[in-house]
Amino acid sequence: MQATAEIQAAGSPRRSQKHQMLKDKQVKDLIVDKRRLVEVPYTATLADTINTLMANKVVAVPVAAPPGHWIGAGGSMILESDKQTGAVRKHYIGMVTMLDILAHIAGNGYGDDDLHLTKKMMVPISSIIGHCLESLSLWTLSPNTSIVDCMEIFSKGIHRAMVPVNGRSENVVGVELTESASCYRMLTQMDLLRFLNDQQELKAIMSHKVSDKQLQAITDTVFGVTNKAKVIDVIKCMRTAALNAVPIVESCNDITEDHTQLVNGKKRKIVGTFSATDLRGCPVSKMQPLLNLEVLDFLKMLSGAPNTGMRSSWREQVTCHPESSLGEVVEKVVSDNVHRVWVVDEQGLLEGVVSLTDMIRVIRLWYLTEFLQ
């Protein structure tokens, strides 16, 4: 890909100057201000992990274990080593996200017994790695990876990757990867979009409407839950469908509609959003009774609680219209720190959704077509 770009640049000086900045940027340019990796030990309980997520305002953490005793997710060997001696200190065996935690809470056999939830909260975090597909793999990106190649990874639905600092990597056998570094940083889709949002050479694509058929930015199949659904039922639905978030729509009929199942959200009035992240703001000690609340009541309670870092998601919807520009939508996710924007018509009825993955995919494909072909 890079060789092709260089050949075309030689025949088109104007284009070379126009896209040189983005083409030459690398992952290391995105992690300059990133803090040290937030992680949990493999012996941490689920309750400990939720508290760590809440305290650090993150939605996923890698799990660290002593070297030599575990097989890493996806056959990986992601190691942290001493900067001076090179001795391996720990092995990252997987990533746990809020969706994994939701899946564990909503697992088979859930009852209303307080002790049952208490027992679930005391399991070691290493036992729930892989409850959802995303945590079955650990992704790393070299600091020297180009932004264009980084966009390719994140455009395929990978939400985050670990970036080694002062590290080295090698392929050992097949897909097995050995990565060793003195420390790591976490790079996310949001980090990448914040960067892309500031790039002048992307202004042309940012002016396109999200409804542009050539872009295909809108996912028009949207499953949601009704405003009468209980939190525990919403969690079960999200676990079954592997969804990180669902729109909350007005119930068509409070009596006859099944509020325990996902519903087709298309052309329904959206009144809120429930995401895996919302559970992070729920104190572990108070979680059991709150799981039986209706989902909107749960969100109202959390939005009024101190130190949760929650926006009033039950009241302030992050939406756009089909005629909105891609730039407007990207600005919404960056400024509101959300991972999707619901597309609604003039009556506020759902038309679809534009996710971070959709945005990165559209921007990348346009850039490749415009400059690198």
Side-chain angles (χ1 to χ4, degrees), residues 312-329:
S312 299
S313 59
W314 62 279
R315 184 169 49 199
E316 303 171 18
Q317 296 311 304
V318 182
T319 62
C320 70
H321 297 291
E323 302 305 305
S324 299
S325 70
L326 179 62
E328 292 173 19
V329 175

Side-chain angles (χ1 to χ4, degrees), residues 264-306:
N264 183 358
K266 197 76 176 286
K267 294 299 181 181
R268 306 260 308 243
K269 179 76 172 180
I270 182 171
V271 294
T273 301
F274 184 87
S275 74
T277 311
D278 291 328
L279 198 64
R280 181 189 64 188
C282 182
V284 173
S285 60
K286 299 179 180 180
M287 188 174 294
Q288 173 62 39
L290 297 181
L291 292 179
N292 289 308
L293 290 178
E294 289 184 359
V295 63
L296 279 185
D297 291 335
F298 176 83
L299 293 177
K300 291 175 185 178
M301 186 280 301
L302 285 190
S303 65

Side-chain angles (χ1 to χ4, degrees), residues 27-28 31 139-146 149-151 153-154 158 160-165 169 177 179 184-185 187-188:
V27 163
K28 61 186 176 185
I31 64 170
W139 290 86
T140 62
L141 285 172
S142 165
N144 298 320
T145 300
S146 72
D149 288 341
C150 177
M151 290 167 65
I153 297 295
F154 284 160
I158 305 302
R160 57 191 61 82
M162 296 168 63
V163 181
V165 179
S169 63
L177 171 71
E179 179 83 59
Y184 291 82
R185 299 291 185 266
L187 186 70
T188 67

Side-chain angles (χ1 to χ4, degrees), residues 46 50 53 96-108 110 117 120-121 128 131-132 231-232 234-240 243-246 274-280 287 291 298:
L46 181 60
I50 293 177
L53 292 169
V96 170
T97 71
M98 280 306 304
L99 195 56
D100 291 301
I101 294 172
L102 289 183
H104 176 72
I105 291 173
N108 294 332
Y110 178 83
L117 182 60
K120 286 192 171 188
M121 288 296 174
I128 71 168
H131 270 33
C132 296
V231 174
I232 185 59
V234 175
I235 292 173
K236 289 179 179 179
C237 288
M238 292 170 64
R239 174 184 185 269
T240 301
L243 297 173
N244 284 290
V246 287
F274 184 87
S275 74
T277 311
D278 291 328
L279 198 64
R280 181 189 64 188
M287 188 174 294
L291 292 179
F298 176 83

Side-chain angles (χ1 to χ4, degrees), residues 78-219:
I78 313 300
L79 310 172
E80 181 179 291
S81 57
D82 186 273
K83 188 174 183 178
Q84 302 300 324
T85 66
V88 176
R89 293 184 299 214
K90 63 183 71 169
H91 175 197
Y92 293 106
I93 60 175
M95 188 82 67
V96 170
T97 71
M98 280 306 304
L99 195 56
D100 291 301
I101 294 172
L102 289 183
H104 176 72
I105 291 173
N108 294 332
Y110 178 83
D112 292 330
D113 183 4
D114 284 2
L115 290 178
H116 194 75
L117 182 60
T118 300
K119 288 180 179 178
K120 286 192 171 188
M121 288 296 174
M122 294 308 295
V123 301
I125 197 64
S126 56
S127 68
I128 71 168
I129 294 174
H131 270 33
C132 296
L133 288 177
E134 183 178 357
S135 58
L136 288 175
S137 298
L138 264 180
W139 290 86
T140 62
L141 285 172
S142 165
N144 298 320
T145 300
S146 72
I147 293 299
V148 176
D149 288 341
C150 177
M151 290 167 65
E152 180 180 8
I153 297 295
F154 284 160
S155 71
K156 295 179 179 178
I158 305 302
H159 295 143
R160 57 191 61 82
M162 296 168 63
V163 181
V165 179
N166 301 321
R168 60 181 179 83
S169 63
E170 57 180 313
N171 289 318
V172 182
V173 179
V175 297
E176 183 178 293
L177 171 71
T178 296
E179 179 83 59
S180 181
S182 57
C183 61
Y184 291 82
R185 299 291 185 266
M186 187 71 75
L187 186 70
T188 67
Q189 286 182 321
M190 183 65 78
D191 295 323
L192 177 60
L193 265 179
R194 289 185 191 279
F195 170 80
L196 296 176
N197 192 41
D198 292 332
Q199 302 307 301
Q200 292 298 314
E201 53 265 61
L202 297 179
K203 275 192 172 182
I205 180 61
M206 294 299 189
S207 66
H208 284 242
K209 297 176 182 178
V210 290
S211 59
D212 188 328
K213 296 299 183 181
Q214 292 183 330
L215 292 188
Q216 297 184 336
I218 301 175
T219 300

